[in-house]
Amino acid sequence: MLGKNVFTSGIVTKKSSMKMLSIFSKVIRGNPAPIIEVEGITKNGDLIPYELRAVPLFKNKKVVAAQAILRNLTERKENQHALAKSKRKYREIFNRSRDGFVMVDATGQIIDANESYCKMLGFTLDELKNLQDFYEITPEKWREWEQNEIWNNRLLKQGYSGRYEKEYIKKDGAIIPIELESYLVRDNKGNIDYLWGVARDITERKNDEKERELHLKEMNLITDVVVHASRMQDIDKLCNYVGKTIHSLNENSYVAISLYDPKAERIRIRALCGFESVSDLLNTLFKDSPVKNVVNLSKIQKDSQLYLSGQLRPVPGGLYAIMADTLSKEKCREVEKLLGITAIYRVGLSLNKKPFGSISILLKQGEKIHFKSAIETIANHFSVIIHEKQAEVKVKKSREQFQNLFDNLRDGVFVHSLLPGNRPGPFEQTNKAASTILGYSPEEFKEMSPWDLDDPDSSKEYIPKVMEQLKENGEAVFEAVQVAKDGRKIPVEVNASLIEYDEKQSIISVTRDISKRKKTEWKLRKNEERLRESERNLKQAQKLAKLGRWDYIHGEDKLVWNEMIYDIFEINPASFDATYESFLATIHPDDRKKVNDTWKKSLQDKDSYTIEHRLLLKDNRVKWVKEKCRTEFDERGNPVHSTGIVQDITDQKQAEERLKKAHVKLKKMNQTLEKKVHERTSEVQRLLKQKDEFINQLGHDLKNPLGPFLQLLPILENHVSNEKDKRMIQVLHRNANYMRNLVKKTIDLAKLNSSKTKFIFEDVSLGDIVDEVISVNVSLFEDNGVIVENNVSTDCLVHVDPLHIEEVFTNLFNNAVKYSTDEQWIGIDAFEKDNCVIVSVQDKGIGISNEQLPFLFDEYYKADSSRHDFDSSGLGLPICKRIIEKHGGKIWAESKGIGEGSTFYFTLPRSDNMS
Ligand code: ADP
């Protein structure tokens, strides 16, 4: 470019070269020149904006030339352009937005606002700018909160308020709800520059929400009424229920429901709700009514059903009224005044465009009708429900249905006309079941009337009552007794209705055989009583047992506890957020996993469970509870609802713990005791055995050397002639005899104790045994002049070892002889008792004192009288005792005292073969 003429070379546009020329000439002349913009042309022909600054070049302090400094402005130009464009765009948004935009300075004064904002508040922009500050458009109640929360807490701290709701005051004073969002803008130095906010009028949304809420409430109400009412059978109850519901919507109102009664061709008020002085009201309302048929006015109470006549006339708007006709407008006003009523709101009930009743609401002064639409909807539903109820009756009456019903019924059906004087005419129609049950053919029935069927004993009582009911209600249900053709009496339940049959007033009765029911009825009643009783007990028990109950709704994590659980867990319901997690937190940390695992497992296995665990209370106390839980699952197997029972078992646990400790202690003591007893027993057994062995040994050792004495002493006695020597040898002989006797008995006793001695049991006649012993000892008895009386029958069979029992008798006989002095008599008796035989051996001897009795059966015991007797060993009775014991029996003695004789008793096992 060097050496080229700038102005003619085409590197700047012509216009620019003209500008440059004028600048340069200024500089050369020594004048200051402004910075200008020029446009250069590139080799490709593109235009580039430059900033051009011209400076003089000096030589010897004289300007000789001008120098140009160029700066490419392309980028800056583009930026400026974009900025302008975006500014325009934002201004556009600002102006066109349906949201209100506002700019407020640091003092709270409005600097700028868009059109929407102005419109929203009803001010012009200038008016807004002239307001003191934006608090003037903020209701008092928001100011402090906005200052603290929005300004101090949010805007100053984070620069952004977040979206919030508040209210504005419009120019006309109206208050509107708005949604606001504001930002704080600071300058380079960080000072508050301005605040800008976006505001939206949310009146509509708020109204929507309210409406939705209201709508929902209405829907619930309507559903409630419809569901309840459709289940009700009694039309009066139904009216009363609907009336009460509507009354509850408008608490300070009166509600009257009236229905058309086709039979009476009248409108009847079927329900009145909220009336405080009904008679006043009605008397006044119907003062001028042409039909003043107000029934039982004196009996009217607040909720009673009331029947009242009037005429139904349609009123404009598809509504029907009973009063429009009967009461003048002025009269209405008067009544309103009198009752403090301002308006009468009436919803007509109609079906198929025919009016049949109305719901009237009388409002107190100053009250508004609430839930207008709900009342209208309820009225509609109510119409349908009433229609259905009436239709049901109609259907019953319909011939076709009737016929069908008639033939297929298992109950007996009878139709007969009603003759003057309430007398029943002959049966006009009966069904198959009637014939089957009672045994009459349809033709036979045609010749009969109900009076021929009813049991004359019981029918007198109920027939008049039934007729009265029929006339009043058109139907009657009662129990009766019918007599079948074969004379059987059948208890039946009769359902009788008045109908038009072949254009005659007739009665149709449906009878059901209730003989079975009668029987089960009292059973059922009993069961019910029992059930109620057990339910009562259960409730009582739950209370006493401190049973808590919880319900858990899966999916919502909603846990509902009854009062008792809060009591058990010692938690205040108000401060507890009942979820599964918060429940877990109340459990003792050591048990938490166990409880959680059990719960999870039960859900997995779809099984119920019972668990005992601890609770850790706030004050670190520990409680024990027992929980039982059951879960219901939906068809896909997902848990829906769990129910649990919780019982405080702390006391029980503590008692168990104490019991356990006591048990361990006791067990230890027992073991020690057992061990000791065992040791002692074996010691005693060992000693006893030793004793027996010793005695046995001693006996044999003594017996053997005695043999020669006993054999030689009589020989020696014969060889001696001296009388004195003879007596001495006789003494020796007697003593040796005694010793032999003693030794023999000692050995016998020891043998009886030894386990080696076997008893051989057999069935024998006790009478025979006694006879045998008597015959063996006959010389003993004869020598001593003893009379023996054996009273034991030979039929008395015992299961014994006969030889040993003979020994017992021998011993007892010997004693009886030995210990008798004056009267020598022995009586033997036996009688059966409890599968054994009790034997007695009685004597009239010296008797036994009370002091002696306990020792008689001790080994080597001898009473004083026989202490020095060589025939006494003191072993006879112990041997008897041992033998009897070996037979599983017992032996004892009785005596009335010294000189009074003695009786020895013992028991023996009875033979199984004894009859
Ligand atoms: P003993 O060989 O001395 O008769 P027992 O053991 O047969 O030994 O009897 C023990 C004691 O019981 C006798 O010493 C006697 O005093 C008393 N006794 C036994 N039978 C009779 C009886 N029938 N009448 C009075 N006392 C009797």
Side-chain angles (χ1 to χ4, degrees), residues 248-273:
S248 74
L249 302 181
N250 294 273
E251 270 181 13
N252 288 328
S253 68
Y254 310 122
V255 179
I257 294 187
S258 45
L259 293 183
Y260 177 67
D261 181 346
K263 267 190 217 143
E265 290 258 328
R266 291 274 156 78
I267 285 295
R268 291 165 180 262
I269 289 189
R270 307 289 288 251
L272 287 167
C273 303

Side-chain angles (χ1 to χ4, degrees), residues 745 811-812 815-820 843 845-848 852 856 858 861-867 871-878 901-902 904:
K745 287 205 162 155
N811 276 333
L812 292 178
N815 281 351
V817 173
K818 225 189 306 174
Y819 303 112
S820 293
D843 63 53
I846 61 168
I848 306 160
Q852 294 163 356
L856 291 187
D858 286 357
Y861 174 79
K862 290 193 223 176
D864 290 340
S865 54
S866 50
R867 188 142 297 168
D871 285 344
S872 286
S873 62
L875 285 174
L877 289 179
S902 318
F904 283 80

